[in-house]
Amino acid sequence: MSQSNLHIGIVGAGPSGCYVADAIGRKLPGAFIDIFDRLPTPFGLVRGGVAPDHQGTKNIARQFERTLGKDSVRFLGNIAIGRDISYEELKAAYDVLIITIGALEDRRLGIPGENLDAVYGSGQFVAWYNGIPDGRDLDPKLDGKSVAIIGNGNVALDIARLLGKTADELASSDLCAHARAVFEAACIEDIWLVGRRGPLEASFTTAELAEFGELSRVATLVDPVQLPQALPDGLSEEQKKLGEKNLEVLHGYAARGEQRERPVRIHFLFHAAPVAIRGETRAQELVLDHTRVEPGVAITGGKTFTIPADTVISAIGYRSTPFPGLPFDTARGIVANTQGRVEPGVYAAGWCKRGPQGVVPANRADALAVADLILADLAGHEPGRKPGGALIDTLLAERDARPVDFAGWQKINAAEVAAGQGRPREKLTRLEDLLAAATG
Ligand code: NAP
């Protein structure tokens, strides 16, 4: 069998899956590629994770559309591995299987009070406002005056920014109608952005940090005492560059004291490690411990203090969710792999391979690397002839599964864009509505 008619299966049609499909298509022209997703919609984080007011970032979906639209590529949406098809069946069907399932599950804080009402993980919260069907009914409580967001990454900034924006400022976003209603009814006055280390260790990026300066009703409050005047020795060039730029923005915020009277205050609180969430039945306050940073690590000193927190959102990173049979590294929350190799014929790429780090285009390099790895492994090996999508189609038909193909996605897309009425789109957020739109 020539490598040109290999059957390739990809599990997960997010950015990594799409980049991998593109890379394989280029490096193994003539390969047949099936790309599965548990949702009826492709593009993973681009649709369900990227902030709805960052439409520029979502433009990458156009490139992914071209990949999924190729004759050699089939999109099989609404197919969950472990429910509709097993991992073993996939391995029996495809010469090469690539796992690109991302990281959807929230990391746990592991502190008392985490299970109180009005405490959410960012994954849950973002899935809710972005209209992912299984997160749609979260109905988060945003009915108090204070929200504490734990974490100093870009996800924490996304959430704080969206909560800080006015309805007008969200008008050009694709924030879902159910979330807009909750945001508009909320009367939040204080949003705390809590970092367990200092501003130089924060992982958020400067462009995202600077966006707070443009929000009309938001005061950005930073205690200048928390901001170092100069960079310490020992930072890498990259850390220096990011640290300098972030510090400049934060010093600017610290100098804007006159904004205190604005209706929404965003407090940047550094060197504060979460210790407990307190409340009778729901969150009321967040207990924090002052920290100092010693080579990279936050050290607590037992000097605790509290901030009011009617809602707590932890934005501290994600874990992948394995399906039965998939080799999994439970400690790290990723697919067990050695530089992308999972087991013979099976590979992993993207966040499920290396952990939830890096912006969408960062997954391109990973995809090219996995494609090269596959090519190298195939060199000199004639893989056994496997049936590819034909086997999968038979199994899905026997099980009354309802796969959504690329044409089905295009119908969903058209229906959502048409419903947008001035917005980029109004997403369909119920599974049945998505499936109905797909069959048009
Ligand atoms: P992240 O950048 O890894 O940030 C996680 C934050 O949580 C860090 O500040 C971390 O602090 C903190 N943290 C972890 N465990 C904690 C604990 N137990 N208690 C308190 N704090 C804790 O992750 P993310 O914000 O989820 O973002 C994931 C990736 O997506 C990142 O690469 C991000 O840049 C990307 N992203 C990009 C955009 C954009 O470009 N606009 C938007 C969203 C996401 P330590 O550093 O001390 O561990």
Side-chain angles (χ1 to χ4, degrees):
M1 182 168 114
S2 116
Q3 289 177 8
S4 65
N5 55 4
L6 284 172
H7 292 284
I8 312 277
I10 301 176
V11 182
S16 282
C18 291
Y19 280 128
V20 167
D22 185 58
I24 298 272
R26 285 169 202 273
K27 295 190 185 241
L28 287 169
F32 302 106
I33 302 172
D34 282 356
I35 178 162
F36 296 85
D37 205 285
R38 69 187 186 96
L39 296 175
T41 51
F43 313 142
L45 268 193
V46 173
R47 177 177 169 96
V50 170
D53 60 339
H54 278 179
Q55 288 296 314
T57 310
K58 290 176 185 264
N59 282 340
I60 190 81
R62 291 192 199 142
Q63 180 186 326
F64 296 157
E65 289 256 353
R66 287 196 291 276
T67 301
L68 297 194
K70 287 185 180 157
D71 287 344
S72 55
V73 178
R74 290 199 310 164
F75 171 60
L76 291 102
N78 194 38
I79 299 300
I81 313 309
R83 182 192 67 190
D84 303 303
I85 287 285
S86 73
Y87 178 53
E88 294 306 321
E89 287 162 345
L90 288 179
K91 286 194 288 183
Y94 296 101
D95 299 300
V96 175
L97 188 63
I98 305 139
I99 313 296
T100 54
I101 53 176
L104 298 174
E105 229 170 85
D106 286 301
R107 268 193 202 140
R108 303 277 297 164
L109 280 165
I111 59 173
E114 191 171 12
N115 294 327
L116 282 170
D117 200 7
V119 179
Y120 309 103
S122 58
Q124 277 182 300
F125 193 75
V126 171
W128 166 74
Y129 67 55
N130 272 333
I132 301 299
D134 46 17
R136 162 74 174 80
D137 290 321
L138 181 70
D139 202 14
K141 288 195 167 69
L142 289 174
D143 50 354
K145 292 192 171 161
S146 53
V147 176
I149 304 170
I150 300 170
N152 265 180
N154 279 328
V155 171
L157 295 195
D158 279 350
I159 295 170
R161 183 183 68 254
L162 291 168
L163 293 176
K165 282 194 168 181
T166 61
D168 277 355
E169 285 167 335
L170 288 170
S172 57
S173 77
D174 67 354
L175 183 66
C176 296
H178 64 275
R180 291 204 300 277
V182 175
F183 280 28
E184 281 169 27
C187 38
I188 300 162
E189 294 178 359
D190 290 286
I191 300 170
W192 300 84
L193 268 165
V194 181
R196 65 178 170 181
R197 297 193 286 160
L200 291 177
E201 289 81 23
S203 55
F204 47 61
T205 39
T206 313
E208 281 65 25
L209 181 61
E211 279 185 73
F212 288 94
E214 294 155 19
L215 307 188
S216 63
R217 66 172 179 179
V218 163
T220 44
L221 304 180
V222 192
D223 182 349
V225 171
Q226 293 211 307
L227 302 180
Q229 291 303 318
L231 299 184
D233 295 334
L235 296 182
S236 67
E237 276 311 305
E238 200 184 333
Q239 285 171 319
K240 263 193 212 159
K241 234 163 109 185
L242 180 67
E244 253 166 21
K245 288 199 288 184
N246 281 351
L247 268 188
E248 193 184 325
V249 175
L250 288 166
H251 276 297
Y253 290 163
R256 291 180 6 163
E258 79 284 358
Q259 293 185 342
R260 249 182 192 283
E261 299 313 314
R262 289 191 177 181
V264 182
R265 294 173 291 268
I266 294 192
H267 308 257
F268 289 85
L269 186 58
F270 299 103
H271 293 292
V275 174
I277 301 163
R278 284 201 202 126
E280 296 207 344
T281 57
R282 64 172 283 176
Q284 285 175 311
E285 57 182 27
L286 176 63
V287 186
L288 298 161
D289 198 340
H290 283 291
T291 67
R292 61 179 200 284
V293 176
E294 275 180 15
V297 189
I299 312 281
T300 51
K303 223 173 123 195
T304 59
F305 63 105
T306 60
I307 57 171
D310 301 304
T311 304
V312 176
I313 301 169
S314 68
I316 62 166
Y318 305 110
R319 299 168 56 83
S320 299
T321 312
F323 40 75
L326 182 67
F328 198 67
D329 178 341
T330 309
R332 295 179 64 199
I334 58 173
V335 176
N337 75 93
T338 309
Q339 290 169 344
R341 289 187 182 93
V342 179
E343 56 179 312
V346 184
Y347 301 82
W351 280 13
C352 74
K353 170 200 162 197
R354 63 176 201 278
Q357 286 302 324
V359 293
V360 170
N363 293 300
R364 187 167 176 271
D366 220 26
L368 289 168
V370 86
D372 283 338
L373 198 64
I374 292 167
L375 240 66
D377 288 355
L378 286 173
H381 277 85
E382 279 299 297
R385 183 175 287 275
K386 299 222 179 151
L391 171 62
I392 299 299
D393 291 348
T394 308
L395 293 172
L396 291 179
E398 279 169 14
R399 291 166 197 176
D400 289 331
R402 296 166 74 185
V404 172
D405 62 8
F406 184 64
W409 153 246
Q410 287 181 308
K411 287 183 193 164
I412 294 173
N413 188 35
E416 291 186 340
V417 170
Q421 297 185 347
R423 294 176 168 276
R425 68 179 60 239
E426 188 63 64
K427 282 183 193 160
L428 294 167
T429 61
R430 301 279 180 203
L431 187 61
E432 285 311 314
D433 293 340
L434 285 160
L435 295 179
T439 47

